[in-house]
């Protein structure tokens, strides 16, 4: 992923603060590495109807602590990725006033094929970003985030 893409995600988190931001990471993948080609910001679609679908989630049932991406956007991203011979590599979201560490809710609803990038946004300013992926025991493990200078001005 480029430094500019990471900055774009941080700016998204700052714009939506104190709510969680969310979006998709599209790109290529081979046995050695995943390469983010495009960041797809999404509107946080968490609302009362989304909360009903995740009825096991009891606490912090607001956009300040939860996010979801509309199925229509996921479908559009899948079509775009397939057309470009890419794939959806993962999902990013922010943690307002919390560390860039997955919550138990994040773990419960995560898909094992995706990377999860979390940016911490404290008092409206983006800070630490960390990448995660589920292991075979459905536990998040940190993944080194390699940044290149593509797209830097």
């Amino acid at each position: 992923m480029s430094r500019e893409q990471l900055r774009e995600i941080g700016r998204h988190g700052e714009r939506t603060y104190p709510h969680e931001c969310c979006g998709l990471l599209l790109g290529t993948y081979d046995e050695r590495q995943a390469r983010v080609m495009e960041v797809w910001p999404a509107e946080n679609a968490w609302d009362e109807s989304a909360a009903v679908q995740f009825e096991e989630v009891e606490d912090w049932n607001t956009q300040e602590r939860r996010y979801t991406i509309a199925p229509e956007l996921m479908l559009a991203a899948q079509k775009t990725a397939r057309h470009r011979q890419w794939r959806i590599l993962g999902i990013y979201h922010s943690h307002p006033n919390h560390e860039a560490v997955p919550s138990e809710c994040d773990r419960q609803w995560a898909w094992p094929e995706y990377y999860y990038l979390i940016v911490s946004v404290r008092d409206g300013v983006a800070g630490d970003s960390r990448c995660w992926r589920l292991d075979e025991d459905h536990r998040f493990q940190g993944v080194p985030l390699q940044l290149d200078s593509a797209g830097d001005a």
Side-chain angles (χ1 to χ4, degrees):
M1 133 176 290
S2 73
R3 293 181 194 286
E4 179 53 32
Q5 290 168 328
L6 188 59
R7 283 193 290 267
E8 180 182 347
I9 292 169
R11 288 190 298 267
H12 188 192
E14 291 173 348
R15 282 192 310 274
T16 62
Y17 180 87
H19 298 153
E20 289 194 4
C21 75
C22 55
L24 301 170
L25 306 171
L26 275 57
T28 60
Y29 179 83
D30 64 30
E31 298 86 35
R32 294 183 316 138
Q33 70 176 2
R35 177 172 294 276
V36 176
M37 305 301 286
E38 194 168 303
V39 172
W40 270 46
E43 179 180 342
N44 183 348
W46 189 271
D47 59 14
E48 289 182 16
S49 64
V52 169
Q53 297 173 28
F54 296 88
E55 60 188 24
E56 294 86 3
V57 178
E58 295 176 4
D59 62 336
W60 299 98
N61 218 353
T62 69
Q63 285 189 347
E64 295 175 3
R65 295 294 304 240
R66 301 287 176 247
Y67 75 92
T68 191
I69 297 173
E72 301 83 20
L73 185 77
M74 292 293 290
L75 183 60
Q78 287 174 336
K79 287 180 178 177
T80 297
R82 188 177 316 123
H83 177 72
R84 296 176 181 174
Q85 298 183 347
W86 297 348
R87 60 188 272 190
I88 297 175
L89 297 172
I91 296 172
Y92 72 86
H93 72 283
S94 62
H95 278 180
N97 295 327
H98 290 278
E99 295 180 34
V101 175
S103 67
E104 177 59 18
C105 183
D106 291 335
R107 188 189 69 80
Q108 289 177 355
W109 295 100
W111 294 323
E113 64 270 23
Y114 286 166
Y115 292 91
Y116 288 84
L117 188 137
I118 301 173
V119 59
S120 174
V121 181
R122 294 198 180 267
D123 299 322
V125 178
D128 187 36
S129 298
R130 297 175 69 187
C131 190
W132 305 88
R133 196 163 195 195
L134 290 173
D135 65 16
E136 58 275 354
D137 295 321
H138 207 76
R139 301 278 176 215
F140 274 113
Q141 301 297 322
V143 175
L145 192 57
Q146 295 181 353
L147 300 177
D148 62 37
S149 58
D152 283 352

